Amino acid sequence: MNAIGNYAGTGEFAGKRALVTGGTRGIGAAVVRQLLAAGAEVLTTARSATGTAPQGASFVAADVRTRAGADAIAAAAQETLGGVDILVHNAGGAGPHAGIAAISDEEWQDALDLNFLASVRLDSLLVPGMRERRSGAIVHISSAAVLTPVAPFLHYVAAKAALEAYSKGLALEQAPFGIRVNTVSPGRVATPGGEATREEWARLNPAQGQNDIPAVPLGREGRPDDIADAVLFLVSGRASWLTESNLIVDGGEFPRG
């Protein structure tokens, strides 16, 4: 695999208009780069303009946690792209705690707004256009940690579990209109944000630590492009008969049953 994934230079997404939230770093930036390299026109978002969007992408600063932010993103998508064919919800995250009781009401609400309700709000604004065109592909980025919830991240994991249930329901509702909705659940991925979160978890839970890399059966952390490859597959024509699925991309780290 090359540095920008298996779709680079294929032109597979030529003529497609894509919106990727949280696309200035980590997994989101990898998705943006791969879509651009495969010919798509891409708009991405972040809360502020301090991050740098991949070269070639359009950018809008907006807070996906709020209705006003969702409205701003949808308006920018219409103005910049003229509509959205591909929607990738990548923005998300939450800090760890020593235990469930340490998670405040405000942090529970923030986790729900960022990791769950942001997708609900933005989908509600953009799905109608997809229905009119009777075509569209949506990917919600969840987390493989939903498979084994742990107390320090329970607000985050619970929000992602809600996202997965919502994604399945949306997929069933929109299938008759040619809209496919799938989920990608990454495991441990080497990104600056992920590393900072794991370091804080280790500080708060020294007995557990960060879990050694050999615990991942494939023997390494994931790379942002590992996840981006999965996303691009799901929004491509190669996955035209896939909807309501959850693709777990974690090197085998989390138990499945």
Side-chain angles (χ1 to χ4, degrees):
M1 184 181 72
N2 60 41
I4 51 175
N6 294 314
Y7 291 80
T10 63
E12 191 160 345
F13 293 94
K16 296 295 185 181
R17 302 162 298 180
L19 171 61
V20 181
T21 66
T24 60
R25 62 178 188 166
I27 292 170
V31 173
V32 171
R33 286 193 299 268
Q34 288 207 30
L35 285 168
L36 289 168
E41 186 179 1
V42 183
L43 171 68
T44 192
T45 75
R47 263 184 281 180
S48 70
T50 54
T52 302
Q55 186 174 6
S58 300
F59 174 79
V60 57
D63 189 345
V64 297
R65 297 173 301 179
T66 67
R67 168 57 70 175
D71 289 341
I73 293 167
Q78 185 60 40
E79 180 179 350
T80 303
L81 304 175
V84 173
D85 305 300
I86 295 167
L87 176 56
V88 180
H89 293 279
N90 171 71
H97 290 273
I100 297 170
I103 306 172
S104 68
D105 284 355
E106 291 76 15
E107 288 172 294
W108 275 103
Q109 186 61 57
D110 188 67
L112 288 167
D113 282 330
L114 178 57
N115 297 287
F116 171 44
L117 294 174
S119 295
V120 175
R121 292 173 180 133
L122 197 51
D123 287 343
S124 72
L125 295 169
L126 296 176
V127 164
M130 293 180 175
R131 285 172 63 122
E132 288 179 7
R133 295 185 293 276
R134 302 192 72 83
S135 176
I138 299 172
V139 170
H140 298 114
I141 303 295
S142 182
S143 172
V146 171
L147 295 166
T148 310
V150 293
F153 291 100
L154 196 58
H155 53 329
Y156 170 74
V157 175
K160 290 299 191 184
L163 178 66
E164 291 182 12
Y166 158 76
S167 186
K168 291 178 180 180
L170 184 67
L172 290 172
E173 181 186 62
Q174 301 305 326
F177 300 94
I179 301 169
R180 297 184 300 104
V181 184
N182 293 290
T183 305
V184 171
S185 293
R188 187 198 317 243
V189 180
T191 65
E195 292 304 317
T197 298
R198 285 187 284 275
E199 288 173 5
E200 179 65 7
W201 184 9
R203 186 185 69 80
L204 292 170
N205 301 270
Q208 185 165 1
Q210 296 188 58
N211 297 325
D212 293 335
I213 296 303
V216 179
L218 287 181
R220 66 168 175 85
E221 289 182 310
R223 306 180 185 102
D225 277 310
D226 292 324
I227 312 306
D229 275 335
V231 171
L232 263 71
F233 167 69
L234 288 173
V235 301
S236 76
R238 306 183 199 192
S240 62
W241 212 47
L242 269 178
T243 196
E244 200 195 345
S245 67
N246 182 10
L247 185 54
I248 300 168
V249 188
D250 69 343
E253 179 180 6
F254 288 87
R256 300 320 198 242

mmCIF file of all heavy atoms in Angstrom, residues 216-240:
data_model
loop_
_atom_site.group_PDB
_atom_site.id
_atom_site.type_symbol
_atom_site.label_atom_id
_atom_site.label_comp_id
_atom_site.label_asym_id
_atom_site.label_seq_id
_atom_site.Cartn_x
_atom_site.Cartn_y
_atom_site.Cartn_z
ATOM 1 N N VAL A 216 -1.991 -6.730 20.189
ATOM 2 C CA VAL A 216 -2.661 -6.693 18.887
ATOM 3 C C VAL A 216 -2.163 -7.884 18.080
ATOM 4 O O VAL A 216 -0.977 -7.966 17.779
ATOM 5 C CB VAL A 216 -2.356 -5.374 18.144
ATOM 6 C CG1 VAL A 216 -3.033 -5.365 16.774
ATOM 7 C CG2 VAL A 216 -2.788 -4.170 18.976
ATOM 8 N N PRO A 217 -3.017 -8.836 17.730
ATOM 9 C CA PRO A 217 -2.550 -10.046 17.054
ATOM 10 C C PRO A 217 -1.713 -9.790 15.811
ATOM 11 O O PRO A 217 -0.779 -10.549 15.532
ATOM 12 C CB PRO A 217 -3.853 -10.775 16.721
ATOM 13 C CG PRO A 217 -4.765 -10.393 17.833
ATOM 14 C CD PRO A 217 -4.442 -8.949 18.113
ATOM 15 N N LEU A 218 -2.022 -8.749 15.051
ATOM 16 C CA LEU A 218 -1.218 -8.465 13.861
ATOM 17 C C LEU A 218 0.066 -7.713 14.181
ATOM 18 O O LEU A 218 0.831 -7.376 13.276
ATOM 19 C CB LEU A 218 -2.049 -7.690 12.831
ATOM 20 C CG LEU A 218 -3.111 -8.522 12.113
ATOM 21 C CD1 LEU A 218 -3.860 -7.679 11.089
ATOM 22 C CD2 LEU A 218 -2.494 -9.740 11.424
ATOM 23 N N GLY A 219 0.308 -7.428 15.479
ATOM 24 C CA GLY A 219 1.622 -6.998 15.926
ATOM 25 C C GLY A 219 1.981 -5.544 15.763
ATOM 26 O O GLY A 219 3.137 -5.166 15.961
ATOM 27 N N ARG A 220 1.015 -4.699 15.426
ATOM 28 C CA ARG A 220 1.337 -3.270 15.311
ATOM 29 C C ARG A 220 0.078 -2.441 15.514
ATOM 30 O O ARG A 220 -1.048 -2.944 15.406
ATOM 31 C CB ARG A 220 1.930 -2.959 13.936
ATOM 32 C CG ARG A 220 0.967 -3.143 12.761
ATOM 33 C CD ARG A 220 1.526 -2.532 11.487
ATOM 34 N NE ARG A 220 0.699 -2.775 10.314
ATOM 35 C CZ ARG A 220 -0.340 -2.028 9.951
ATOM 36 N NH1 ARG A 220 -0.725 -0.987 10.691
ATOM 37 N NH2 ARG A 220 -1.037 -2.316 8.852
ATOM 38 N N GLU A 221 0.289 -1.162 15.799
ATOM 39 C CA GLU A 221 -0.818 -0.220 15.795
ATOM 40 C C GLU A 221 -1.310 -0.025 14.365
ATOM 41 O O GLU A 221 -0.580 -0.220 13.399
ATOM 42 C CB GLU A 221 -0.373 1.132 16.341
ATOM 43 C CG GLU A 221 -0.107 1.173 17.829
ATOM 44 C CD GLU A 221 0.278 2.566 18.273
ATOM 45 O OE1 GLU A 221 1.183 3.160 17.648
ATOM 46 O OE2 GLU A 221 -0.317 3.044 19.246
ATOM 47 N N GLY A 222 -2.563 0.401 14.255
ATOM 48 C CA GLY A 222 -3.078 0.766 12.952
ATOM 49 C C GLY A 222 -2.497 2.100 12.505
ATOM 50 O O GLY A 222 -1.993 2.889 13.302
ATOM 51 N N ARG A 223 -2.557 2.330 11.215
ATOM 52 C CA ARG A 223 -2.172 3.607 10.626
ATOM 53 C C ARG A 223 -3.428 4.293 10.112
ATOM 54 O O ARG A 223 -4.391 3.621 9.732
ATOM 55 C CB ARG A 223 -1.184 3.385 9.480
ATOM 56 C CG ARG A 223 0.044 2.569 9.870
ATOM 57 C CD ARG A 223 0.986 2.400 8.670
ATOM 58 N NE ARG A 223 2.109 1.527 8.990
ATOM 59 C CZ ARG A 223 2.212 0.257 8.613
ATOM 60 N NH1 ARG A 223 1.244 -0.302 7.887
ATOM 61 N NH2 ARG A 223 3.265 -0.460 8.946
ATOM 62 N N PRO A 224 -3.450 5.621 10.065
ATOM 63 C CA PRO A 224 -4.639 6.294 9.551
ATOM 64 C C PRO A 224 -5.086 5.779 8.191
ATOM 65 O O PRO A 224 -6.291 5.637 7.934
ATOM 66 C CB PRO A 224 -4.212 7.762 9.498
ATOM 67 C CG PRO A 224 -3.240 7.895 10.632
ATOM 68 C CD PRO A 224 -2.464 6.597 10.615
ATOM 69 N N ASP A 225 -4.127 5.445 7.318
ATOM 70 C CA ASP A 225 -4.510 4.951 5.998
ATOM 71 C C ASP A 225 -5.136 3.572 6.038
ATOM 72 O O ASP A 225 -5.876 3.196 5.119
ATOM 73 C CB ASP A 225 -3.296 4.962 5.052
ATOM 74 C CG ASP A 225 -3.064 6.331 4.434
ATOM 75 O OD1 ASP A 225 -4.022 6.904 3.899
ATOM 76 O OD2 ASP A 225 -1.927 6.831 4.499
ATOM 77 N N ASP A 226 -4.879 2.788 7.086
ATOM 78 C CA ASP A 226 -5.579 1.510 7.229
ATOM 79 C C ASP A 226 -7.088 1.743 7.351
ATOM 80 O O ASP A 226 -7.899 1.011 6.775
ATOM 81 C CB ASP A 226 -5.099 0.755 8.471
ATOM 82 C CG ASP A 226 -3.668 0.264 8.363
ATOM 83 O OD1 ASP A 226 -3.260 -0.138 7.257
ATOM 84 O OD2 ASP A 226 -2.956 0.282 9.387
ATOM 85 N N ILE A 227 -7.442 2.754 8.119
ATOM 86 C CA ILE A 227 -8.854 3.064 8.313
ATOM 87 C C ILE A 227 -9.426 3.739 7.067
ATOM 88 O O ILE A 227 -10.553 3.442 6.644
ATOM 89 C CB ILE A 227 -9.056 3.967 9.543
ATOM 90 C CG1 ILE A 227 -8.286 3.409 10.756
ATOM 91 C CG2 ILE A 227 -10.530 4.122 9.862
ATOM 92 C CD1 ILE A 227 -8.606 1.973 11.096
ATOM 93 N N ALA A 228 -8.643 4.628 6.473
ATOM 94 C CA ALA A 228 -9.111 5.314 5.268
ATOM 95 C C ALA A 228 -9.381 4.326 4.138
ATOM 96 O O ALA A 228 -10.350 4.475 3.385
ATOM 97 C CB ALA A 228 -8.086 6.356 4.828
ATOM 98 N N ASP A 229 -8.538 3.307 4.003
ATOM 99 C CA ASP A 229 -8.787 2.281 2.982
ATOM 100 C C ASP A 229 -10.145 1.622 3.181
ATOM 101 O O ASP A 229 -10.876 1.359 2.221
ATOM 102 C CB ASP A 229 -7.696 1.206 3.030
ATOM 103 C CG ASP A 229 -6.454 1.580 2.231
ATOM 104 O OD1 ASP A 229 -6.575 2.380 1.292
ATOM 105 O OD2 ASP A 229 -5.376 1.061 2.548
ATOM 106 N N ALA A 230 -10.485 1.324 4.447
ATOM 107 C CA ALA A 230 -11.774 0.708 4.745
ATOM 108 C C ALA A 230 -12.925 1.647 4.404
ATOM 109 O O ALA A 230 -13.946 1.230 3.841
ATOM 110 C CB ALA A 230 -11.830 0.306 6.214
ATOM 111 N N VAL A 231 -12.764 2.922 4.743
ATOM 112 C CA VAL A 231 -13.800 3.910 4.447
ATOM 113 C C VAL A 231 -14.018 4.020 2.944
ATOM 114 O O VAL A 231 -15.157 3.998 2.453
ATOM 115 C CB VAL A 231 -13.432 5.275 5.055
ATOM 116 C CG1 VAL A 231 -14.395 6.355 4.562
ATOM 117 C CG2 VAL A 231 -13.441 5.217 6.580
ATOM 118 N N LEU A 232 -12.920 4.146 2.189
ATOM 119 C CA LEU A 232 -13.068 4.304 0.747
ATOM 120 C C LEU A 232 -13.698 3.078 0.101
ATOM 121 O O LEU A 232 -14.479 3.205 -0.844
ATOM 122 C CB LEU A 232 -11.720 4.633 0.092
ATOM 123 C CG LEU A 232 -11.521 6.143 -0.139
ATOM 124 C CD1 LEU A 232 -11.304 6.882 1.165
ATOM 125 C CD2 LEU A 232 -10.427 6.421 -1.133
ATOM 126 N N PHE A 233 -13.379 1.905 0.598
ATOM 127 C CA PHE A 233 -14.042 0.717 0.074
ATOM 128 C C PHE A 233 -15.551 0.823 0.274
ATOM 129 O O PHE A 233 -16.332 0.581 -0.658
ATOM 130 C CB PHE A 233 -13.509 -0.542 0.763
ATOM 131 C CG PHE A 233 -14.349 -1.757 0.506
ATOM 132 C CD1 PHE A 233 -14.406 -2.329 -0.759
ATOM 133 C CD2 PHE A 233 -15.103 -2.324 1.524
ATOM 134 C CE1 PHE A 233 -15.218 -3.437 -1.008
ATOM 135 C CE2 PHE A 233 -15.906 -3.435 1.289
ATOM 136 C CZ PHE A 233 -15.963 -3.995 0.021
ATOM 137 N N LEU A 234 -15.980 1.210 1.467
ATOM 138 C CA LEU A 234 -17.405 1.236 1.777
ATOM 139 C C LEU A 234 -18.163 2.301 0.993
ATOM 140 O O LEU A 234 -19.366 2.129 0.725
ATOM 141 C CB LEU A 234 -17.620 1.439 3.277
ATOM 142 C CG LEU A 234 -17.282 0.231 4.147
ATOM 143 C CD1 LEU A 234 -17.373 0.592 5.622
ATOM 144 C CD2 LEU A 234 -18.189 -0.955 3.839
ATOM 145 N N VAL A 235 -17.519 3.398 0.623
ATOM 146 C CA VAL A 235 -18.224 4.434 -0.143
ATOM 147 C C VAL A 235 -18.045 4.257 -1.641
ATOM 148 O O VAL A 235 -18.607 5.025 -2.433
ATOM 149 C CB VAL A 235 -17.778 5.859 0.282
ATOM 150 C CG1 VAL A 235 -18.054 6.089 1.756
ATOM 151 C CG2 VAL A 235 -16.312 6.127 -0.051
ATOM 152 N N SER A 236 -17.296 3.243 -2.051
ATOM 153 C CA SER A 236 -17.036 3.014 -3.470
ATOM 154 C C SER A 236 -18.079 2.095 -4.083
ATOM 155 O O SER A 236 -18.853 1.427 -3.382
ATOM 156 C CB SER A 236 -15.650 2.391 -3.661
ATOM 157 O OG SER A 236 -15.654 1.010 -3.306
ATOM 158 N N GLY A 237 -18.051 2.020 -5.403
ATOM 159 C CA GLY A 237 -18.931 1.103 -6.106
ATOM 160 C C GLY A 237 -18.613 -0.349 -5.836
ATOM 161 O O GLY A 237 -19.448 -1.233 -6.059
ATOM 162 N N ARG A 238 -17.421 -0.617 -5.320
ATOM 163 C CA ARG A 238 -17.044 -1.996 -5.006
ATOM 164 C C ARG A 238 -17.883 -2.559 -3.856
ATOM 165 O O ARG A 238 -17.955 -3.769 -3.674
ATOM 166 C CB ARG A 238 -15.567 -2.070 -4.634
ATOM 167 C CG ARG A 238 -14.642 -1.460 -5.684
ATOM 168 C CD ARG A 238 -13.191 -1.619 -5.309
ATOM 169 N NE ARG A 238 -12.342 -0.681 -6.028
ATOM 170 C CZ ARG A 238 -11.021 -0.742 -6.059
ATOM 171 N NH1 ARG A 238 -10.400 -1.702 -5.387
ATOM 172 N NH2 ARG A 238 -10.316 0.153 -6.729
ATOM 173 N N ALA A 239 -18.484 -1.654 -3.084
ATOM 174 C CA ALA A 239 -19.315 -2.077 -1.940
ATOM 175 C C ALA A 239 -20.786 -1.772 -2.205
ATOM 176 O O ALA A 239 -21.549 -1.490 -1.285
ATOM 177 C CB ALA A 239 -18.851 -1.371 -0.673
ATOM 178 N N SER A 240 -21.196 -1.852 -3.470
ATOM 179 C CA SER A 240 -22.543 -1.426 -3.844
ATOM 180 C C SER A 240 -23.643 -2.284 -3.230
ATOM 181 O O SER A 240 -24.803 -1.876 -3.207
ATOM 182 C CB SER A 240 -22.684 -1.424 -5.370
ATOM 183 O OG SER A 240 -22.501 -2.733 -5.887
#
